[in-house]
Amino acid sequence: MDLEKEYIKLIFGLKLKQLRTEKNLSLFGLAKLTDLSKSYLNEIEKGKKYPKTDKILVLCDKLEVSYDQLVSLKLDNNLAPIGEILKSGILKEIPLDLFGIQEADLIDIIANAPAKVNAFISTIIEIAQHYNLSRESFFLASLRSYQEAHNNYFEDLENKVVAFSKSFQVDLQSKVTVEELQAILIQEYGYTIRDIVFSEEESLGDLRSIFVPKSKTLLLSETVDQAQKAFILAKEIAYNYLEITDRLLTFSWIKFKNFDQVLHNFYASYFAGALLLPRQLLIDEINQFLVKENPLPEEFVELIERFEVSPESFYQRLTNILPKDFHLKNVFFLRMSHHIGSDTYQIKKELHITNQQEPHANEMNEHYCRRWVSIRTIDEAIKQKKAHFFDAQISHYENSGNEYLVFSSATKDPFIKNCIRSISVGILTTPAMKKKFKFIENKPLVKQIVGVTCETCAVKNCLQRASPATALNLKKRHDLTDSVVQQYIKNYS
């Protein structure tokens, strides 16, 4: 197999550093010994330069190693796992620059403590394999961390939406229509938009749109509703206005070629959300809702329906606005999915602003708390045969004592047959938060004691429990055993 020159340079640099360290030489010392500059040697060790043959011979002589040994791509046991990592190209897959990390710095860290770091990396890989962590899942987890690090608010994208509205004379104080979005794509960006029946091709049944770059044709499924259509069109505008070329061609996505496509998909989605749910207009609407003393569930649904968006887009937009404009820093977003007739509920998407909030995804096949409003809305949507069932509650977590005001909407999943999904946003209740949500203490709002999963929940006599508290009972058993062991140690000391 042909190896990249970059890989060869990195391997040489790692071997040189290992040999220098074994000789207890500093970079300064090796430079003095070989008459090569310290900066030049540093560049070699970081994998940025590969020395010419005469320089390699000097290094071999002073480090007392054969030429073949130094230039060989074979690594000893300490460095072998690093070689596998570099060879696999995984460091190219990880969006290090997104988190302010240079690849060379990471390689340097690995090289300084190879045994420990390799054990750590092997652990991460084993966990990933155990939980079937795909490349796409890794990319999406990286993106989620990026969003959370910025409190899911991106000022530059907000400003670009405002600039776009001025340039195209789009009124952000009123609902943006599908007709307006379509006209911009056709007249400004030269799009051809066609409605087709994707369901005629079984493999395309879950898709809502396909973009054909060569002819600038947007193929739209005839099954999309107005809200879905508006979002798709707004995303296409975003790709063009933001001048994004490395992009996904389908909605929903099938696969990502690289992390840039994941990031660009997020940028376009954020732009679309900010265009369809203009920041100031949404703030005004939320403030009008918050002054109500006893708002009815129907009033929250009406709030969503004032915009040309799906409940998911609305809730997603709340995660941008609440932390930034309402100073509610502890917010979570959940999308749950349930196949009608099954007894399982899955978290398909989550986001946690500021801290890791209590309701989070669990990959150990445990049962999520049936007292969550996220699950109740799904059950009620099925039971009452409602297209959109909304409810809210205060969730009190028994283990931590934290309380959240949670809003949840359940609708049919537009992509999967016989599937209902709920979209929820939870806000940690604090004295400052209660001043904004004046209705929070009113009776219609139910407070429910909840857990995360049945297996870890300490709530007794729960009629909704789907499974015994096996994980919690095991922990209690271990704690009891440990206390008895400690007593024996004390008695026999």
Side-chain angles (χ1 to χ4, degrees):
M1 185 179 78
D2 291 333
L3 298 175
E4 292 182 6
K5 290 180 180 179
E6 191 173 353
Y7 169 69
I8 295 171
K9 288 192 288 185
L10 287 168
I11 293 298
F12 187 92
L14 285 170
K15 292 182 78 169
L16 178 62
K17 181 167 185 174
Q18 186 184 40
L19 287 166
R20 175 177 65 77
T21 305
E22 286 174 357
K23 295 285 184 182
N24 199 27
L25 281 169
S26 65
L27 267 174
F28 180 87
L30 183 60
K32 191 172 182 181
L33 190 65
T34 59
D35 286 330
L36 300 172
S37 75
K38 180 186 169 184
S39 61
Y40 177 64
L41 291 170
N42 188 45
E43 292 278 282
I44 294 172
E45 288 192 359
K46 287 185 179 295
K48 294 180 179 178
K49 289 186 177 178
Y50 193 87
K52 292 182 179 178
T53 302
D54 59 330
K55 303 289 194 305
I56 296 174
L57 289 170
V58 171
L59 289 167
C60 290
D61 179 48
K62 300 303 180 182
L63 293 170
E64 299 175 329
V65 62
S66 71
Y67 180 89
D68 288 343
Q69 186 180 341
L70 186 54
V71 299
S72 168
L73 295 175
K74 186 177 180 181
L75 296 167
D76 65 18
N77 290 338
N78 271 346
L79 293 177
I82 301 174
E84 290 300 315
I85 291 165
L86 295 174
K87 191 174 178 181
S88 71
I90 192 170
L91 294 182
K92 298 295 182 188
E93 295 281 341
I94 301 171
L96 296 171
D97 56 333
L98 201 66
F99 304 102
I101 300 170
Q102 297 297 316
E103 184 179 338
D105 295 335
L106 192 60
I107 293 168
D108 205 36
I109 291 168
I110 295 171
N112 280 329
K116 292 179 181 178
V117 177
N118 282 326
F120 172 73
I121 290 171
S122 296
T123 302
I124 297 299
I125 291 170
E126 188 175 334
I127 291 170
Q129 291 172 339
H130 183 68
Y131 292 115
N132 298 318
L133 180 63
S134 65
R135 181 169 170 266
E136 286 83 2
S137 298
F138 178 79
F139 283 164
L140 292 171
S142 298
L143 173 64
R144 189 165 62 244
S145 297
Y146 175 61
Q147 290 176 257
E148 291 167 357
H150 289 82
N151 290 335
N152 203 30
Y153 181 82
F154 296 85
E155 189 77 41
D156 57 332
L157 291 173
E158 298 282 349
N159 291 337
K160 283 176 181 175
V161 167
V162 173
F164 168 83
S165 71
K166 290 177 180 177
S167 177
F168 286 80
Q169 289 297 290
V170 174
D171 184 5
L172 294 183
Q173 287 303 308
S174 62
K175 184 166 75 173
V176 181
T177 66
V178 166
E179 292 73 24
E180 194 172 8
L181 298 171
Q182 198 159 283
I184 291 170
L185 282 174
I186 294 170
Q187 296 176 32
E188 179 70 18
Y189 296 116
Y191 270 50
T192 299
I193 300 174
R194 299 187 183 281
D195 294 327
I196 66 170
V197 183
F198 284 163
S199 57
E200 290 180 354
E201 292 281 350
E202 189 177 347
S203 59
L204 300 180
D206 293 340
L207 290 185
R208 292 297 173 264
S209 70
I210 300 173
F211 176 64
V212 184
K214 192 172 182 179
S215 61
K216 277 199 165 184
T217 301
L218 181 64
L219 303 176
L220 281 173
S221 170
E222 287 188 344
T223 62
V224 297
D225 59 28
Q226 285 295 93
Q228 292 166 356
K229 191 171 187 178
F231 185 75
I232 293 167
L233 296 174
K235 271 188 76 173
E236 288 300 322
I237 287 172
Y239 280 130
N240 285 274
Y241 187 74
L242 300 176
E243 299 180 347
I244 293 171
T245 54
D246 191 5
R247 51 160 293 179
L248 302 175
L249 301 178
T250 64
F251 180 75
S252 58
W253 62 270
I254 302 169
K255 63 180 181 179
F256 299 114
K257 289 182 180 178
N258 51 57
F259 182 76
D260 280 348
Q261 289 187 346
V262 179
L263 190 60
H264 295 159
N265 180 65
F266 166 69
Y267 287 157
S269 297
Y270 190 105
F271 184 100
L275 179 60
L276 297 173
L277 290 148
R279 179 182 170 192
Q280 192 54 55
L281 182 59
L282 182 58
I283 291 169
D284 294 342
E285 293 285 357
I286 292 171
N287 278 325
Q288 288 181 36
F289 180 79
L290 293 181
V291 297
K292 298 177 185 290
E293 292 185 6
N294 291 293
L296 298 171
E298 293 81 6
E299 292 179 272
F300 194 85
V301 174
E302 288 171 7
L303 173 58
I304 297 174
E305 290 175 349
R306 284 184 201 132
F307 302 90
E308 195 78 82
V309 297
S310 66
E312 179 163 5
S313 293
F314 184 86
Y315 283 73
Q316 285 270 24
R317 187 64 171 141
L318 287 182
T319 66
N320 308 141
I321 299 300
L322 293 178
K324 174 66 177 178
D325 297 297
F326 291 84
H327 309 292
L328 299 169
K329 300 295 185 183
N330 293 286
V331 174
F332 69 78
F333 170 94
L334 289 184
R335 184 175 79 207
M336 297 200 74
S337 180
H338 171 73
H339 285 273
I340 297 172
S342 74
D343 63 349
T344 59
Y345 301 81
Q346 296 176 303
I347 292 178
K348 292 294 188 179
K349 193 172 184 178
E350 63 179 323
L351 188 69
H352 301 265
I353 309 299
T354 304
N355 296 306
Q356 182 77 14
Q357 312 301 331
E358 259 96 353
H360 54 79
N362 181 291
E363 299 296 335
M364 294 184 289
N365 297 318
E366 294 183 2
H367 298 76
Y368 295 114
C369 179
R370 297 315 197 237
R371 296 183 176 194
W372 284 0
V373 69
S374 306
I375 289 178
R376 190 171 69 248
T377 52
I378 289 175
D379 292 343
E380 289 298 324
I382 296 169
K383 186 178 176 181
Q384 299 186 28
K385 296 180 179 179
K386 280 196 171 184
H388 181 173
F389 186 87
F390 169 83
D391 204 355
Q393 75 178 34
I394 297 173
S395 294
H396 177 93
Y397 281 83
E398 181 76 359
N399 291 356
S400 68
N402 285 338
E403 289 186 355
Y404 298 86
L405 171 60
V406 187
F407 299 101
S408 182
S409 288
T411 61
K412 285 184 179 180
D413 191 313
F415 303 109
I416 305 172
K417 289 181 180 178
N418 298 318
C419 187
I420 303 290
R421 65 182 186 179
S422 67
I423 312 297
S424 306
V425 163
I427 307 157
L428 183 70
T429 61
T430 62
M433 177 267 194
K434 289 180 179 179
K435 288 180 181 178
K436 293 182 175 70
F437 291 79
K438 300 191 184 298
F439 57 81
I440 197 168
E441 304 288 0
N442 294 341
K443 278 195 174 183
L445 203 56
V446 175
K447 181 183 289 189
Q448 187 74 270
I449 295 173
V450 300
V452 177
T453 65
C454 294
E455 286 79 356
T456 60
C457 183
V459 176
K460 295 179 181 178
N461 304 319
C462 176
L463 297 177
Q464 291 86 15
R465 183 179 287 280
S467 172
T470 51
L472 183 67
N473 292 336
L474 183 62
K475 182 181 182 302
K476 287 180 178 177
R477 181 181 166 187
H478 287 167
D479 289 345
L480 178 61
T481 302
D482 182 58
S483 66
V484 174
V485 169
Q486 295 304 321
Q487 190 61 47
Y488 269 85
I489 291 171
K490 183 178 178 181
N491 292 340
Y492 286 92
S493 293

